[in-house]
Amino acid sequence: MLAHMTISNFAIVKNLEFEMKSGMTTITGETGAGKSIAIDALGLCLGDRAEASMVRPGEDKAEIHATFSLRNNQAARRWLEDNELIEGDECILRRVVTKEGRSRGFINGSPVPASQQKALGQLLINIHGQHAHQLLMRPEHQQEMLDNYAGHHALMEKVSSDYQAWRHAKNELNRLSQSRADNEAQKQLIQYQVKELNELALGEDEFAEIEEEHKRLSNSGDLALTSQHALALLYEGDEVNALQLLQQASQQLIDLGEMDSKLSTLAPMLEEAIIQVQEASQELRGYMDDLDMDPQRLVYLEERLAKIMSLARKHYVMPAELWQKHQDLLLELENLDGSDEKLDALADAVEAKRLSFLDSAEKLSKSRQRYAKELNKKISHSMHELSMEKAIFQIDIHSDPERMLTPLGFDTITFMVSTNPGQPLQPLGKVASGGELSRISLAIQVITAQKVETPSLIFDEVDVGISGPTAAIVGRMLRTLGTSTQVICVTHLPQVAGCGHQQMFVAKKTAKGQTETQMKALDESSRISELARLLGGSEITERTLANAKELLVAA
């Protein structure tokens, strides 16, 4: 619940500090005194938009602190823990607004964006403004009120999640369907390219092998002539060759070795050279015998190389990369060939997700219908208490699972009312007068507030257009609500103000050309005087004082 607030340099407030208690607190004051300023300031701490005009004229900044007790608010405690902002059993919200309009927000001393303050604020307090009856005209607000009362948040999250999954799959299906024509054109191009490469039938390492063989055949004449000359120098020369020279030198070294042992190691070295020359000669002779000089084979290789080079240029790859390009095109063609199957599979998945969404939405619709019946009875009864004895309230739920599919399900919620006997049920805004609309709105807010999980409720002049016995009933309703929830009510009605467990007074004073708003808690004596002022206006008599005491006693 809201425990304490400090407001500095906000609007016409210089410095204002006050504590709030549990139960029902009423706030009264003269017209224009600034009864709603504290609520506006609190709205800033709850993430409302900041404006430069909020800063008191002549000051550099406005600053607001709001302290909340977390003792009976597990939802807010969990949020703070999840965001690593928890500090004991209290939560302090702070907002600073400069005269330039810039603002900074803090939760328990840690700087946070306004969006986080707003997310936490929804778990701390619920504000019902004086224009709530205007919001009540909007179908989306009517649906939100019913859903908040029903409290089926997990079911709503499931519906929203299923809807998003279905829409995502459907969009993907549409994208694939729209690109089918492009895929078909691409498929025909790849089929032609693959056909060319299939006809070439290039092996993985074939290009390197062909290139090597072509080089050998192209130079076969030079290879044969030069090999023959080398063989003659090594082994087959008639007049002189390397083998003969080595053999002669070896024999001479053997002879020398017999004369001098120091030369005995040289002859074996030449023997090894003789063996190497003989082996090299044999290898060279074998190479010459196997040397292929087939001109037809050379023509074939040149033609194949030309085809490989041509296709490589066509596909913008190196000739050695052409085989891999062929494999890539085959894989791409395979994927395109399977696109129809994928499209069919995705269509089945889309339908499955749609059915899952419809199932969740059906459960949500049934939950709404159940709680709508409950609200119909309670709000109709509350309207009867508010001097609309013959009024009937009914929530109409129109379901259209064929065309009205949204993240909130397939229901359209309409608040219907009949204020007089024999009058048919019609949408709320069409049949209710201003005063009736205020009472209906108040009845709805009080009833739905009983199911709201936030431990603090603020009603900002929601009793506009209500007076007399009806105002007394409104006061009793809010006081009853205050026995289980902190209720803060800004009001101008003595019947409502008197029902508060405590009362605060807002006054405006002007000194030295400066206007300032102050707010203070009233003791019993001051409270009777304030209620008398509300009852009798500027002239307070013994009779109005007695009536004020009666109001407190009755409460």
Side-chain angles (χ1 to χ4, degrees):
M1 72 172 204
L2 178 63
H4 184 269
M5 273 197 74
T6 302
I7 306 172
S8 301
N9 300 322
F10 179 79
I12 59 174
V13 174
K14 178 65 175 176
N15 289 293
L16 183 61
E17 183 175 359
F18 57 89
E19 293 184 356
M20 290 303 233
K21 300 180 180 179
S22 58
M24 177 182 175
T25 300
T26 56
I27 300 175
T28 60
E30 295 181 356
T31 301
K35 296 188 291 297
S36 296
I37 282 182
I39 296 175
D40 294 337
L42 180 60
L44 266 185
C45 283
L46 300 177
D48 285 353
R49 181 178 179 180
E51 297 179 1
S53 59
M54 294 176 173
V55 181
R56 180 179 170 87
E59 303 294 339
D60 293 331
K61 64 181 181 179
E63 189 167 341
I64 301 99
H65 294 74
T67 302
F68 292 84
S69 171
L70 302 175
R71 291 176 187 171
N72 298 315
N73 194 339
Q74 294 303 315
R77 185 183 293 274
R78 283 194 300 271
W79 189 95
L80 288 167
E81 289 174 349
D82 292 342
N83 289 273
E84 299 181 353
L85 294 168
I86 188 73
E87 283 191 13
D89 290 331
E90 285 189 341
C91 172
I92 300 176
L93 299 183
R94 176 179 167 228
R95 192 82 178 271
V96 179
V97 183
T98 67
K99 62 182 180 181
E100 292 81 16
R102 295 189 297 270
S103 72
R104 291 177 296 160
F106 302 84
I107 297 177
N108 286 334
S110 298
V112 297
S115 59
Q116 277 198 300
Q117 285 190 315
K118 185 179 288 291
L120 175 60
Q122 294 174 353
L123 304 174
L124 294 172
I125 201 162
N126 197 333
I127 299 178
H128 298 263
Q130 54 186 297
H131 302 297
H133 61 283
Q134 297 175 0
L135 286 175
L136 199 58
M137 300 292 194
R138 302 178 183 175
E140 63 273 15
H141 187 66
Q142 295 175 2
Q143 180 168 302
E144 182 181 355
M145 294 189 76
L146 172 58
D147 287 332
N148 287 338
Y149 179 82
H152 42 218
H153 305 301
L155 188 52
M156 291 180 66
E157 289 178 3
K158 179 68 165 57
V159 170
S160 179
S161 175
D162 288 349
Y163 176 85
Q164 298 299 339
W166 167 62
R167 289 296 303 176
H168 178 76
K170 187 176 181 182
N171 290 338
E172 180 65 13
L173 178 62
N174 291 338
R175 186 187 67 78
L176 289 178
S177 297
Q178 291 170 2
S179 64
R180 174 179 279 184
D182 295 337
N183 287 345
E184 188 61 32
Q186 180 71 3
K187 180 179 176 181
Q188 290 178 3
L189 174 61
I190 294 176
Q191 282 176 333
Y192 173 75
Q193 293 173 334
V194 167
K195 181 181 178 183
E196 282 187 321
L197 291 170
N198 285 343
E199 291 173 353
L200 179 65
L202 182 66
E204 184 173 1
D205 300 316
E206 185 183 352
F207 174 74
E209 296 169 355
I210 291 176
E211 197 172 32
E212 181 67 24
E213 185 181 0
H214 179 267
K215 182 179 180 181
R216 185 171 61 252
L217 287 177
S218 299
N219 296 281
S220 58
D222 292 338
L223 287 170
L225 183 61
T226 305
S227 296
Q228 181 63 48
H229 183 256
L231 185 59
L233 292 173
L234 286 172
Y235 188 76
E236 295 182 352
D238 294 334
E239 296 180 359
V240 65
N241 59 61
L243 182 61
Q244 291 175 350
L245 294 173
L246 287 171
Q247 287 173 340
Q248 292 174 9
S250 176
Q251 184 61 47
Q252 291 176 3
L253 287 173
I254 291 173
D255 294 340
L256 290 173
E258 292 177 354
M259 291 182 249
D260 188 348
S261 61
K262 292 181 179 179
L263 299 174
S264 61
T265 59
L266 298 178
M269 295 172 63
L270 287 180
E271 286 296 330
E272 291 181 6
I274 291 170
I275 294 172
Q276 293 291 329
V277 169
Q278 289 173 334
E279 290 180 353
S281 299
Q282 291 174 1
E283 289 287 335
L284 190 54
R285 169 54 62 188
Y287 171 78
M288 291 175 61
D289 292 341
D290 294 336
L291 189 61
D292 187 4
M293 301 182 66
D294 185 358
Q296 292 184 349
R297 176 67 178 172
L298 180 59
V299 171
Y300 166 77
L301 292 177
E302 289 179 343
E303 291 177 350
R304 188 151 180 79
L305 278 174
K307 289 181 180 178
I308 294 172
M309 302 292 281
S310 176
L311 285 176
R313 286 194 299 271
K314 190 173 184 178
H315 290 284
Y316 300 100
V317 296
M318 299 299 292
E321 300 169 354
L322 190 59
W323 180 86
Q324 185 58 52
K325 179 64 176 180
H326 187 191
Q327 307 310 306
D328 294 342
L329 289 173
L330 286 171
L331 180 60
E332 189 173 353
L333 183 60
E334 182 181 348
N335 291 335
L336 288 174
D337 284 338
S339 61
D340 288 342
E341 290 77 6
K342 290 181 180 178
L343 209 59
D344 293 339
L346 184 55
D348 292 340
V350 169
E351 181 60 17
K353 292 181 185 298
R354 188 183 75 88
L355 293 176
S356 177
F357 162 71
L358 290 176
D359 180 66
S360 300
E362 179 67 24
K363 293 177 182 177
L364 177 60
S365 183
K366 289 181 179 179
S367 179
R368 284 171 174 159
Q369 291 170 13
R370 170 192 167 194
Y371 284 99
K373 291 179 181 179
E374 186 177 310
L375 271 178
N376 291 342
K377 294 179 181 179
K378 290 185 175 182
I379 293 176
S380 293
H381 178 71
S382 182
M383 289 166 62
H384 297 165
E385 291 183 327
L386 294 173
S387 302
M388 300 178 71
E389 294 82 0
K390 303 299 181 179
I392 300 174
F393 179 85
Q394 181 173 305
I395 299 175
D396 179 68
I397 302 177
H398 175 69
S399 302
D400 189 353
E402 296 298 326
R403 292 178 294 180
M404 275 295 297
L405 304 184
T406 74
L408 297 175
F410 49 59
D411 296 327
T412 301
I413 310 298
T414 306
F415 284 4
M416 310 287 286
V417 66
S418 171
T419 56
N420 298 300
Q423 183 183 30
L425 287 165
Q426 294 186 42
L428 182 61
K430 292 186 177 181
V431 295
S433 64
E436 289 173 331
L437 188 58
S438 296
R439 281 180 281 172
I440 295 170
S441 173
L442 184 58
I444 293 172
Q445 290 181 73
V446 170
I447 296 299
T448 55
Q450 297 173 14
K451 294 290 289 290
V452 174
E453 296 180 355
T454 49
S456 301
L457 298 168
I458 294 181
F459 292 90
D460 184 11
E461 296 192 16
V462 295
D463 49 14
V464 173
I466 298 172
S467 59
T470 304
I473 295 171
V474 169
R476 289 198 297 271
M477 284 182 174
L478 294 175
R479 185 180 177 91
T480 301
L481 190 59
T483 59
S484 58
T485 303
Q486 182 188 44
V487 174
I488 301 169
C489 180
V490 177
T491 183
H492 63 284
L493 297 178
Q495 297 90 336
V496 175
C499 287
H501 295 92
Q502 51 272 331
Q503 185 173 344
M504 305 191 78
F505 177 71
V506 179
K508 181 171 63 175
K509 70 175 185 177
T510 301
K512 297 181 180 181
Q514 294 290 324
T515 301
E516 186 176 337
T517 290
Q518 297 178 335
M519 184 165 68
K520 64 178 181 178
L522 300 178
D523 57 21
E524 184 174 352
S525 175
S526 299
R527 191 173 180 186
I528 291 173
S529 297
E530 170 61 7
L531 291 176
R533 183 190 68 81
L534 292 173
L535 285 167
S538 59
E539 184 178 352
I540 299 177
T541 64
E542 291 296 327
R543 184 174 180 178
T544 55
L545 287 171
N547 288 339
K549 290 180 182 179
E550 289 179 6
L551 283 178
L552 287 180
V553 171

